Amino acid sequence: MSNKAVLAESLVVFAVALLVHAAVWDRFSWCALALAVQAFYVQFKWDRLLQLGGAVFQFRTAANSGLLPASMVAPLLGIVMKERCRAAGIVYFERLGVVVASAGMLVALFLSVLAVGITKPVPTNTCILSGVAGSVIIYTMKHSLTVAEVIEVLEVLLIFVYLSMILLYLLPRCFTPGEALLVLGALSFVLNRLIKRSLSAPEARGDPSDFLLLVAVVGAVLLGLFFAVLFLFLDSGTWISSLFFHMMTAVLGLGVLVPWLQRLIQRNPLLWLLQFLFQTQARVCLLGYWSLLAASACAVVLYQNAQRSSGSKKHQASTATRKYFHLIVVATYVPGLVLDRQLLHLLHVAAALCLALLLLLEYVRYFRIKPFGQALRQLLSLFLDERDSGPLILTHIYLLLGMSLPVWLFPRACAPKGALSGAGALVPYSGVLAVGVGDTMASVFGSTMGEIKWPGTKKTFEGTMTAIFAQLIAVALILIFDSSVNLNSSYAWILAAVSLVSLLEAYTTQIDNLLLPLYLQVLLM
């Protein structure tokens, strides 16, 4: 990636940070700006380490480090969550926003210090800048967080350090430093929250769907770590190992994860899930409709593989073909957002279950578990691109995460009648707009009709303009079909948000399915 593209990407991220700072204007927004400045300088050190092969772990090489855009996601998200919940008078979630922002800043600062520490010769100016930014962040945390919140932030940092050492060793070339920061930082926070909730008093409970998400994510990851260590000593491709895999998955799922979830929600999880899924006729119809869409996605995979002749082993699916799945996901999420708007519970639960299922299927493919492992390898190899350079195929999981994160992170308790005011009403649609509509239109129209390229990238001006226009049309359709959305004349802000995120899509080399929805959610909130 050229320096021009990196600078343009950085300008977009700084513009987002400045917009949030102008809207919030408190000590945390100042800290976010300080973090952005030091991350801007440190990411060039990471880029140099990646080019020279001097990084501690093996990162994905077809992209830059992406430290700046990744460093700003959690701090900005925590800041806007804090402000929304403070305005709604929900103190618990206001303080949670403070913890999210502080933990995000500290984890990003740790990754920056790591890069500076392993760079030879030591960059003196960057060290000074990182020290100043770190001092500002720590000083702010000292005067803003309680002792319990400081301990929680340090716990997240500690979990992040250990997860990074384990997963980056087991999964070489699967992440850039920025993607590792996003994924492992989020996983560290989720694991810490689950541990704290499990140890809290039984009366201090929350929404069962939130606990299902925590247990599903942590359980699926721990299951993968268990089998990764086990199959270091066993051949995973034999029938005996495959049988052991299926038996242990059932034992750990039914013997550990289900009782764990039962302790958290104080009821039988399986009975609660069945009752929840079939609670109303609209939900039953949605489940049937989603099943048809899942079958159609499988049909696309089988058809594309059938089209591949035996003599063309290197044939890969085109960009337009891969965007079929984006359209299928849009068709999945929009009815769930419009028809089951009541706190978005059904989509929340269904997305958590799908994430656990996709991770389990990826384990079957990666470990070549019989009878489906080898077949999955052959079927999915058609859809690989340069981002799948590691042992795991994660792009389809990132697509699900990009569409689901705005639903999972939507501050339901701080939203009167299930919807925020103004542009915030579009927050649950962030994934649909940024990935399902914007990214799809940019890729399809840019690759087929684009001629004017953005400096330093393969993306085109025509694709970006089409993405912006398509997202504005999608917003107009949402206003027509979703009566709970009331923008309160915040159209200029929506145009600015959509334009900035589309520009970020044009210049970033990170996983856009993961990054774009989060930035759009920050701006809309």
Side-chain angles (χ1 to χ4, degrees):
M1 187 178 184
S2 69
N3 285 335
K4 289 183 180 179
V6 175
L7 290 174
E9 177 190 52
S10 302
L11 285 175
V12 175
V13 174
F14 273 113
V16 175
L18 288 172
L19 283 174
V20 173
H21 177 61
V24 176
W25 200 273
D26 65 1
R27 63 180 68 179
F28 281 97
S29 64
W30 281 107
C31 286
L33 289 181
L35 179 68
V37 172
Q38 74 87 28
F40 171 74
Y41 284 95
V42 172
Q43 76 173 352
F44 289 102
K45 307 305 176 186
W46 264 116
D47 291 342
R48 185 166 177 269
L49 287 171
L50 295 178
Q51 292 170 2
L52 299 176
V56 179
F57 300 101
Q58 296 183 56
F59 292 101
R60 188 162 65 88
T61 56
N64 71 320
S65 64
L67 184 64
L68 174 59
S71 296
M72 300 310 298
V73 169
L76 294 180
L77 190 63
I79 289 170
V80 295
M81 181 186 298
K82 171 180 70 71
E83 286 302 300
R84 280 288 186 174
C85 295
R86 182 186 61 80
I90 310 297
V91 178
Y92 174 81
F93 285 99
E94 179 187 352
R95 300 309 302 173
L96 179 62
V98 171
V99 172
V100 170
S102 301
M105 292 179 190
L106 204 59
V107 169
L109 193 63
F110 167 79
L111 204 61
S112 298
V113 172
L114 177 63
V116 172
I118 61 179
T119 300
K120 303 298 179 183
V122 177
T124 305
N125 294 336
T126 307
C127 284
I128 294 174
L129 190 61
S130 297
V132 172
S135 301
V136 171
I137 292 170
I138 293 174
Y139 178 83
T140 301
M141 290 172 56
K142 176 184 175 183
H143 290 83
S144 303
L145 273 64
T146 64
V147 174
E149 290 169 345
V150 171
I151 293 174
E152 183 172 0
V153 169
L154 294 177
E155 289 169 348
V156 172
L157 178 61
L158 185 63
I159 295 172
F160 175 80
V161 172
Y162 281 105
L163 278 181
S164 299
M165 291 190 295
I166 296 171
L167 292 179
L168 292 180
Y169 172 76
L170 293 175
L171 303 174
R173 304 178 309 281
C174 282
F175 309 100
T176 64
E179 292 161 4
L181 173 60
L182 272 179
V183 175
L184 301 184
L187 188 58
S188 303
F189 190 83
V190 166
L191 179 57
N192 186 63
R193 296 298 297 178
L194 181 59
I195 294 173
K196 292 180 71 70
R197 291 294 189 94
S198 301
L199 298 177
S200 63
E203 61 271 10
R205 299 305 175 192
D207 194 319
S209 60
D210 291 330
F211 290 121
L212 175 65
L213 174 62
L214 295 178
V215 172
V217 171
V218 173
V221 172
L222 293 180
L223 192 68
L225 287 174
F226 171 77
F227 286 118
V229 174
L230 178 68
F231 289 135
L232 288 175
F233 308 98
L234 298 175
D235 182 6
S236 61
T238 65
W239 274 106
I240 295 178
S241 297
S242 299
L243 181 62
F244 184 76
F245 174 90
H246 296 304
M247 291 178 58
M248 286 304 299
T249 299
V251 168
L252 293 174
L254 297 176
V256 177
L257 299 183
V258 170
W260 194 357
L261 184 58
Q262 182 169 353
R263 166 176 164 72
L264 290 170
I265 67 175
Q266 296 294 301
R267 69 185 83 170
N268 188 298
L270 300 179
L271 293 179
W272 166 79
L273 185 61
L274 289 174
Q275 181 184 4
F276 175 83
L277 293 177
F278 300 100
Q279 186 174 9
T280 63
Q281 186 176 359
R283 291 187 176 183
V284 175
C285 293
L286 271 177
L287 291 174
Y289 170 68
W290 289 342
S291 300
L292 290 176
L293 290 176
S296 66
C298 295
V300 170
V301 174
L302 294 174
Y303 175 76
Q304 291 296 324
N305 276 271
Q307 293 293 100
R308 179 168 56 176
S309 63
S310 59
S312 56
K313 298 292 186 181
K314 295 183 178 180
H315 172 69
Q316 293 298 113
S318 65
T319 299
T321 300
R322 285 197 291 268
K323 297 307 175 183
Y324 286 156
F325 299 102
H326 286 231
L327 297 178
I328 291 174
V329 172
V330 170
T332 301
Y333 275 72
V334 170
L337 291 168
V338 174
L339 299 179
D340 195 59
R341 185 69 176 190
Q342 185 183 5
L343 299 183
L344 308 174
H345 273 171
L346 180 60
L347 201 55
H348 189 288
V349 170
L353 295 176
C354 286
L355 176 61
L357 179 61
L358 286 181
L359 287 173
L360 184 61
L361 289 176
E362 180 57 22
Y363 298 154
V364 171
R365 187 207 65 84
Y366 174 61
F367 294 121
R368 295 176 286 114
I369 301 298
K370 296 179 182 297
F372 303 113
Q374 192 60 37
L376 285 174
R377 285 196 168 209
Q378 294 174 355
L379 290 172
L380 295 181
S381 64
L382 179 65
F383 300 93
L384 298 180
D385 59 16
E386 69 277 0
R387 294 174 296 182
D388 294 309
S389 57
L392 293 185
I393 300 177
L394 297 173
T395 47
H396 59 297
I397 297 176
Y398 286 141
L399 176 59
L400 175 66
L401 285 174
M403 302 292 289
S404 304
L405 283 173
V407 177
W408 292 336
L409 299 176
F410 180 71
R412 301 191 299 273
C414 306
K417 300 180 180 179
L420 297 174
S421 60
L426 294 173
V427 165
Y429 291 96
S430 298
V432 173
L433 292 172
V435 175
V437 177
D439 182 44
T440 301
M441 292 297 103
S443 297
V444 173
F445 281 86
S447 61
T448 56
M449 295 184 293
E451 295 182 358
I452 306 173
K453 295 187 181 298
W454 291 106
T457 76
K458 297 180 181 179
K459 305 295 180 66
T460 63
F461 174 81
E462 293 88 347
T464 302
M465 293 300 104
T466 304
I468 296 173
F469 187 62
Q471 289 177 82
L472 294 178
I473 293 177
V475 170
L477 293 175
I478 291 171
L479 284 172
I480 294 173
F481 291 102
D482 192 344
S483 58
S484 64
V485 175
N486 181 12
L487 300 183
N488 295 334
S489 302
S490 53
Y491 303 108
W493 186 270
I494 293 172
L495 176 60
V498 166
S499 300
L500 283 173
V501 171
S502 297
L503 285 173
L504 184 61
E505 187 276 335
Y507 281 105
T508 189
T509 57
Q510 307 303 297
I511 299 294
D512 48 9
N513 290 346
L514 192 61
L515 199 63
L516 303 183
L518 293 172
Y519 269 94
L520 185 57
Q521 179 172 3
V522 165
L523 288 169
L524 293 177
M525 285 181 63

